């Protein structure tokens, strides 16, 4: 059987979060260390003066979300038919925290889009799940008008029902984000590999891909190793799991940034949000598509603040010379903090150097179509 979404934590066993005597996930404690590297890389606080994701509903489809962790604001987790506000497994709560946990004085950890509401939907309680059940969960998220649907636990197999659910959700305008988390060479997860889904690769602090799954379906990459996030089993406190390594969690970072983009650019369709996320990513060293990094590492600042024509095509539809990051704002500096991993900075530098020979021509063409550099100054 194909294994997916292997979660590794220091206190865990068997690839799962540390379990209590009842067999459910337990916190590591309250995290008080330095700002986690993934959070430093994405740097959502830099964008909060523009948007915190208010007005957005992000569905977290997987194992449920523990509403008793008080780093979720009162009322932030939607309730009602089809929702699940408990989480024995723990992965749904970890993913939800990356998306939308509130800043809190007791910890340096915070989510990407704390203004977003979260819709917890359980379809599985273990590794992987039935694609038919996942299809039903996606339908419930789309029926509740979730603008972003995060597949926190992808399925190991596809089905006609799952593909149809993806199509229905996209027709309603949803951005569907799912991680490339298969653990066997040549295997794919679903709906990660389904057309129209934003498939996310995973990187470590050095900017190196860490997931096994690869292919032309991978769109972007984001932090997925040695992470910190909210924990299930908090019992009414602010509590966390760390360090956690799980390629599926990279999709949570992308889902959080997608919520920021949707809040700041409300007129964009779901497909236009995906195009913006892929066009503004820091390109791989090759300057083109990489089977594990996709079109590059997520750049939250550029994704939100760049000014692009609404009809700009995705990178795969552009001529090879124009597939370089022509859309990164001219005024956008690298992340402000000096402790961003050197490997990540090197990755961005190599991508920009590879783009230097073609960017001027691409920008001239884009300007004739109405593109202009962002005037936002942090």
């Amino acid at each position: 059987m194909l294994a997916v979404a292997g979660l590794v934590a220091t206190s865990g066993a068997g690839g799962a979060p540390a379990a209590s005597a009842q067999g459910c996930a337990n916190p590591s404690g309250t995290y008080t260390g330095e700002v986690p590297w993934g959070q430093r890389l994405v740097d959502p606080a830099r964008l909060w003066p523009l948007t915190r994701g208010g007005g957005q509903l992000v569905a977290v489809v997987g194992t449920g979300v523990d509403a008793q962790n008080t780093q979720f604001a009162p009322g932030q987790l939607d309730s009602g038919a089809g929702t699940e506000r408990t989480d024995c497994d723990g992965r749904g709560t970890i993913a939800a925290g990356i998306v939308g946990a509130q800043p809190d004085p007791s910890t340096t950890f915070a989510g990407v889009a704390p203004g977003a509401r979260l819709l917890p939907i359980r379809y599985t309680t273990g590794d992987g799940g039935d694609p038919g059940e996942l299809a039903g969960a996606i339908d419930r998220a789309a029926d509740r008008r979730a603008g972003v649907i995060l597949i926190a636990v992808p399925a190991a197999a596809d089905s006609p029902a799952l593909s149809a659910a993806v199509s229905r959700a996209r027709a309603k305008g949803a951005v569907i984000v799912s991680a490339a988390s298969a653990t066997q060479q040549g295997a794919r997860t679903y709906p990660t590999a389904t057309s129209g889904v934003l498939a996310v690769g995973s990187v470590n602090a050095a900017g190196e891909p860490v997931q096994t799954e690869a292919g032309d379906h991978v769109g972007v990459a984001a932090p997925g190793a040695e992470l910190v996030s909210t924990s299930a089993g908090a019992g009414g406190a602010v509590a966390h799991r760390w360090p956690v390594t799980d390629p599926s969690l990279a999709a949570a970072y992308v889902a959080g940034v997608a919520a920021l983009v949707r809040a700041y650019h409300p007129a964009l369709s779901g497909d236009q949000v995906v195009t913006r996320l892929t066009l503004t990513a820091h390109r791989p060293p090759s300057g083109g598509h990489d089977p594990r990094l996709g079109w590059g590492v997520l750049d939250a600042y550029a994704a939100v603040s760049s000014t692009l024509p609404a009809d700009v095509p995705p990178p795969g539809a552009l001529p090879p010379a124009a597939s370089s990051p022509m859309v990164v704002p001219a005024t956008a500096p690298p992340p402000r903090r000096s402790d961003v991993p050197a490997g990540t900075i090197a990755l961005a530098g190599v991508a920009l150097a590879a783009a230097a020979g073609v960017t001027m021509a691409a920008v001239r063409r884009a300007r004739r179509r109405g593109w202009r550099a962002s005037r936002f100054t942090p």
Side-chain angles (χ1 to χ4, degrees):
M1 178 179 177
L2 173 64
V4 297
L7 184 71
V8 180
T10 51
S11 300
S20 67
Q22 291 75 35
C24 292
N26 259 351
S28 304
T30 300
Y31 181 80
T32 58
E34 66 176 357
V35 176
W37 80 267
Q39 188 174 321
R40 296 197 306 270
L41 177 65
V42 177
D43 201 6
R46 187 184 187 192
L47 287 163
W48 291 344
L50 289 178
T51 175
R52 295 166 65 93
Q56 299 304 304
L57 179 63
V58 180
V60 181
V61 179
T63 62
V65 177
D66 187 353
Q68 293 190 40
N69 191 308
T70 56
Q71 205 168 353
F72 300 117
Q76 186 180 15
L77 268 63
D78 270 26
S79 58
T83 62
E84 185 51 72
R85 294 158 60 91
T86 63
D87 181 17
C88 178
D89 178 273
R91 279 174 291 177
T93 305
I94 294 171
I98 291 172
V99 173
Q102 302 298 303
D104 188 279
S106 68
T107 180
T108 55
F109 169 76
V112 173
R117 291 178 297 121
L118 303 172
L119 179 65
I121 297 179
R122 177 187 295 159
Y123 90 97
T124 183
T125 58
D127 288 339
D130 178 79
E133 294 179 359
L134 178 52
I138 292 172
D139 280 335
R140 291 196 296 275
D143 289 344
R144 294 286 293 269
R145 297 295 177 181
V148 179
I149 301 176
L150 166 62
I151 310 301
V153 184
D158 196 9
S159 73
L162 181 54
S163 296
V166 167
S167 295
R168 287 190 292 269
R170 291 182 63 214
K172 293 180 178 179
V175 175
I176 305 174
V177 184
S178 186
S181 56
T183 58
Q184 295 180 5
Q185 291 289 341
R188 295 186 174 189
T189 46
Y190 295 90
T192 313
T194 303
S195 177
V197 172
L198 181 52
V200 182
S202 177
V203 296
N204 59 21
E208 302 163 337
V210 295
Q211 90 279 5
T212 301
E213 185 173 343
D216 56 7
H217 63 293
V218 178
V220 293
E226 302 293 307
L227 304 179
V228 178
S229 188
T230 46
S231 176
V238 171
H240 305 96
R241 290 295 309 159
W242 79 87
V244 178
T245 293
D246 180 0
S248 290
L249 297 178
Y253 275 106
V254 176
V257 175
L260 295 179
V261 170
R262 300 217 81 159
Y264 195 63
H265 301 278
L268 294 183
S269 70
D271 288 346
Q272 287 169 337
V273 172
V274 172
T275 294
R276 176 173 283 266
L277 292 168
T278 51
L279 277 177
T280 57
H282 289 295
R283 290 289 174 266
S286 67
H289 185 272
D290 182 276
R292 296 173 73 192
L293 297 173
W295 293 104
V297 177
L298 179 71
D299 185 335
Y301 178 83
V304 173
S305 68
S306 293
T307 302
L308 310 177
D311 62 345
V312 64
L318 293 169
S323 291
S324 295
M326 69 178 197
V327 296
V328 177
T331 57
R336 292 172 297 176
R337 297 182 176 90
S338 60
D339 53 358
V340 173
T344 300
I345 296 174
L347 176 63
V350 170
L352 289 175
V358 299
T359 298
M360 289 304 297
V363 168
R364 291 191 190 101
R365 287 194 297 273
R367 282 176 175 164
R368 286 197 294 270
R369 302 175 63 222
W371 173 80
R372 57 188 176 85
S374 172
R375 295 179 181 175
F376 171 73
T377 302

